[in-house]
Amino acid sequence: MRQATGRSVRWPWTPAARERALGLTLVGLAIVVVVGPFLWVLANSFKSPIAILTGAWNFVPTLDNYTDVLSSKRSDFVHALATSLTVATASTTIVVAIATLAAYSLHRFAWAQWVVRGLLAWTLAFHVIPIITMVGPWYVAFRQLGLYDTRSALVLTHVVINLPVALWLMMSFFRALPPEIEEAAMVDGCHSLQAFWYVVLPLVVPGLIATGVLSFIFSWNEFTIALNLTSQANATVPVVVSKFANDYEVQHGPMAAASMLATLPALVLMFAGQRFVVQGLTLGAVK
């Protein structure tokens, strides 16, 4: 379209600028969707019961909810925190150790391809099985073995459900490692164990960190198994948080405060190992 003067009308934005504006808008909406609920729960953790029930935007912050969660005699949050830390740390250590050795063996040793592919396919299939379908057999087995309502049972089950992802992650890191590095170490006099320990393992430290962070977070947030295989004595943090809501009362303030405290370990680990987690999840996507 042209004006009477014959000069063309220029749009205020170029196509590139419009695409950038659209992209920023979508990112902003995504941030609101993700961060909005978190901020809402955070605000509720500092509200009094009246302010929560009335939905007040202007309120006087209070720490009563955090005090109730951390020091009240009716709250089991501190004990559950110790249980979750113990279970998540122990299961993560076992998962990383097994996944590292298994991935190294599958990638470096002379296994038949059908064995490697079959094992990886089985772990992938096992990972997509709903956890609730395995709770019943585990319940019966742990009852007969005397492990029901113990931290050991939680550690074993968390190792089982987190090992497939850990194995796939470590396989991706070992595949990205040139085999010539290990061969050069063996030429220099190292045997297989020394080459693995002093040469290969330090090079896959990012993979160990990524696998450890994801395994810890998955174990920390696990709810279904802990709910069915433990009682109040060995309940984990997600189970304790859910018990602030029952048939007769919903303690919105303490539940919000407990939720905020429960996210701290996962957030700290995720921020600390974010670079390695992203590298592990995208490794091999671009050659």
Side-chain angles (χ1 to χ4, degrees):
M1 183 175 62
R2 293 178 178 275
Q3 293 179 337
T5 57
R7 290 180 297 179
S8 61
V9 178
R10 293 185 178 179
W11 295 102
W13 285 2
T14 63
R18 290 197 296 270
E19 292 178 1
R20 179 178 176 81
L22 179 60
L24 292 176
T25 302
L26 293 177
V27 171
L29 290 175
I31 292 175
V32 170
V33 171
V34 174
V35 179
F38 180 84
L39 295 178
W40 182 78
V41 175
L42 179 62
N44 281 346
S45 69
F46 292 104
K47 288 183 179 181
S48 63
I50 296 178
I52 294 175
L53 294 176
T54 58
W57 289 92
N58 296 323
F59 60 93
V60 179
T62 177
L63 294 176
D64 292 343
N65 295 322
Y66 288 92
T67 303
D68 189 16
V69 169
L70 294 175
S71 60
S72 174
K73 293 183 178 180
R74 64 176 182 173
S75 174
D76 298 322
F77 184 81
V78 175
H79 181 71
L81 187 66
T83 299
S84 289
L85 285 173
T86 302
V87 171
T89 302
S91 63
T92 298
T93 302
I94 297 173
V95 164
V96 172
I98 295 177
T100 302
L101 295 176
Y104 179 77
S105 173
L106 292 174
H107 185 59
R108 285 289 188 266
F109 295 164
W111 292 97
Q113 284 298 314
W114 67 268
V115 174
V116 177
R117 294 175 181 176
L119 179 59
L120 293 178
W122 164 245
T123 58
L124 183 61
F126 181 83
H127 181 66
V128 300
I129 296 175
I131 295 177
I132 192 64
T133 61
M134 297 182 287
V135 170
W138 279 338
Y139 176 85
V140 175
F142 290 140
R143 274 286 190 184
Q144 295 180 351
L145 294 173
L147 293 176
Y148 174 74
D149 194 20
T150 63
R151 295 179 179 179
S152 299
L154 290 179
V155 170
L156 292 175
T157 53
H158 287 190
V159 168
V160 171
I161 63 176
N162 290 329
L163 191 55
V165 173
L167 179 59
W168 275 85
L169 276 175
M170 291 309 302
M171 280 290 291
S172 66
F173 276 91
F174 281 121
R175 283 180 182 142
L177 196 64
E180 291 79 11
I181 296 178
E182 185 179 358
E183 294 172 359
M186 297 182 70
V187 169
D188 290 339
C190 294
H191 54 71
S192 300
L193 182 59
Q194 289 177 327
F196 170 75
W197 185 260
Y198 294 108
V199 179
V200 177
L201 200 59
L203 294 176
V204 295
V205 167
L208 298 177
I209 295 175
T211 304
V213 169
L214 290 178
S215 299
F216 185 94
I217 292 176
F218 292 157
S219 177
W220 180 267
N221 292 329
E222 198 285 318
F223 175 75
T224 305
I225 295 175
L227 179 65
N228 291 276
L229 297 185
T230 62
S231 63
Q232 186 175 358
N234 287 300
T236 58
V237 168
V239 175
V240 170
V241 172
S242 69
K243 290 183 178 179
F244 283 104
N246 51 55
D247 295 336
Y248 305 100
E249 180 186 14
V250 179
Q251 304 175 49
H252 297 281
M255 178 181 284
S259 300
M260 288 297 100
L261 293 173
T263 59
L264 289 180
L267 283 177
V268 171
L269 275 179
M270 202 62 192
F271 279 119
Q274 179 182 10
R275 176 167 61 91
F276 302 107
V277 172
V278 173
Q279 179 182 354
L281 294 178
T282 59
L283 193 63
V286 179
K287 290 293 185 181

